[in-house]
Amino acid sequence: MRAPLLLLTPLLLLAGCVNDSASYVIDGSDHALTVAVSQNFFWSKQASVRLIAARLPDCQRQFDFGKAALDDLNIELFSTGEESFLLRSGDEMWQIETRSCSQLPEPSADVQAQPIGVFHMDDKKRLVFEPAEGSAIATQ
């Protein structure tokens, strides 16, 4: 009886972990930005954040954005031009373009950006993408 309980212990430790993703679909399912969060231990208050940029069949690439606090995870998404996007979380900013799925240098302070939406954790601890009010995606 003890052996099955010992085998289940690692699964119980992982049961409370967050491992989720949400996508902003640009032009059909072949062109999208997906944010993925992974919490390694249920007691950890932080999670690893990654972005997967895809414009299939031409490119697909994953970018590591480091760690972020789960309780106030908000990653804002902006358009900075055709196939060019800015992501912002607190003081951190990343600029990605999906023509070749590459990361661009951090934008200048006077960059023109249109809000698209925000990736955040909902009440059920699931990662969701919520369109910005007044954005083209919100009016569809």
Side-chain angles (χ1 to χ4, degrees):
M1 184 66 172
R2 278 187 150 170
L5 289 176
L6 287 175
L7 292 174
L8 290 176
T9 301
L11 294 176
L12 293 173
L13 289 175
L14 293 174
C17 292
V18 174
N19 189 10
D20 208 357
S21 63
S23 296
Y24 164 62
V25 178
I26 301 164
D27 290 324
S29 61
D30 291 342
H31 192 188
L33 295 174
T34 301
V35 171
V37 295
S38 301
Q39 179 187 23
N40 293 333
F41 306 103
F42 72 89
W43 61 82
S44 177
K45 296 188 186 312
Q46 293 198 325
S48 299
V49 179
R50 297 181 327 272
L51 174 81
I52 297 100
R55 192 175 58 80
L56 300 174
D58 298 323
C59 67
Q60 183 173 13
R61 183 166 292 149
Q62 179 173 286
F63 303 94
D64 183 14
F65 286 173
K67 300 257 186 210
L70 278 172
D71 58 349
D72 63 348
L73 180 72
N74 278 313
I75 301 173
E76 298 170 282
L77 178 63
F78 301 89
S79 173
T80 56
E82 191 172 321
E83 298 182 0
S84 178
F85 302 91
L86 174 72
L87 293 103
R88 179 176 65 189
S89 178
D91 294 336
E92 302 270 343
M93 285 196 292
W94 308 274
Q95 192 167 3
I96 304 292
E97 64 89 14
T98 59
R99 204 169 303 118
S100 64
C101 295
S102 58
Q103 187 168 357
L104 303 173
E106 190 172 310
S108 63
D110 63 344
V111 68
Q112 298 295 314
Q114 299 297 324
I116 296 174
V118 63
F119 295 93
H120 65 92
M121 301 302 285
D122 69 4
D123 295 336
K124 296 178 182 175
K125 297 229 183 241
R126 290 182 306 198
L127 186 66
V128 295
F129 175 75
E130 187 174 317
E133 231 176 84
S135 70
I137 191 171
T139 58
Q140 292 178 350

